[in-house]
Amino acid sequence: MKHVAHIVVLTLLAVAVPCHAREGRPGSPDRKADTAVRGASAPVDDDRLVPSEVSGDDCAADASIGVVPDQRMRLLHARLCEAQVQPAYRARCGGLAKDLRTIPFVTDHCASLEEPLEVSLGGKSYRLRRVGTEPAEGAPLLAGTFAGDGLRMQVRPGRVIREHLEEGERIGIEQEVAVTLTLGSATRTLSAVYSDGP
């Protein structure tokens, strides 16, 4: 009798362990397509967390966040360009994408901190509002946590690159920031540059 019980337990373990191990393996078919992704050059399953250019405006006081494009961002930029321009200009989109030095993907459109930010990812525009505390004194205006349209963004300030001064008073800044984007179960962290003022 003990022998039969021992065989039953081993059989149950043999069935349960492979199923459990298969669920935990990255890339297994049972695993969700959206997995955590870190780093600007890391591959992502689709374009949902790939920065694309915001519509922008002419306001000189815009606060924005831009990223140096990787190959995936350049391909997306060219594809979006081709979809929006007249056929005669489509061939130029690839060349323009190769020359991109930065992609501004977050902007406040000259709005106050109470107004939503625009974040553009995968060619889609998201409207985000601040959900955390106001930025500390001297921190970038867009530092903190924002959420909206199913997207969550956290901006953490880093090293100051350049200050723009006028008569000794700071009128603008460029500063390194880490931007963590979460959409559903997918997360991506990008090294980016915040800028405001002239």
Side-chain angles (χ1 to χ4, degrees), residues 7 9 17-18 32 37 53 78 87 96 113 120 124 141 145 149 156 169 175-176 179-180 189:
I7 291 173
V9 169
V17 169
K32 290 183 181 176
V37 179
E53 197 167 11
L96 294 172
L113 291 176
S120 184
K124 180 179 177 183
L141 292 175
T145 304
D149 294 339
R156 293 181 309 279
E169 185 177 330
Q175 186 168 356
E176 292 176 352
V179 180
T180 300
T189 298

Side-chain angles (χ1 to χ4, degrees), residues 12-134:
L12 290 172
L13 285 173
V15 171
V17 169
C19 292
H20 176 70
R22 186 176 67 239
E23 287 174 5
R25 276 199 319 262
S28 70
D30 294 336
R31 205 164 158 86
K32 290 183 181 176
D34 292 328
T35 56
V37 179
R38 300 276 180 211
S41 60
V44 291
D45 292 334
D46 54 37
D47 289 335
R48 290 181 304 153
L49 291 179
V50 178
S52 53
E53 197 167 11
V54 291
S55 57
D57 55 37
D58 296 329
C59 179
D62 264 348
S64 66
I65 297 174
V67 65
V68 175
D70 61 14
Q71 185 61 21
R72 191 173 185 99
M73 293 177 211
R74 291 180 195 281
L75 290 172
L76 174 64
H77 188 85
R79 203 166 65 240
L80 293 172
C81 172
E82 290 167 3
Q84 295 173 3
V85 299
Q86 295 176 355
Y89 297 103
R90 285 184 189 151
R92 297 180 57 200
C93 290
L96 294 172
K98 286 179 189 174
D99 295 336
L100 280 177
R101 298 184 68 186
T102 185
I103 293 179
F105 69 103
V106 180
T107 185
D108 68 352
H109 287 295
C110 306
S112 67
L113 291 176
E114 290 77 37
E115 295 297 319
L117 304 177
E118 180 186 352
V119 179
S120 184
L121 300 169
K124 180 179 177 183
S125 180
Y126 297 85
R127 294 292 208 184
L128 277 60
R129 292 187 179 275
R130 184 178 296 278
V131 294
T133 59
E134 298 288 326

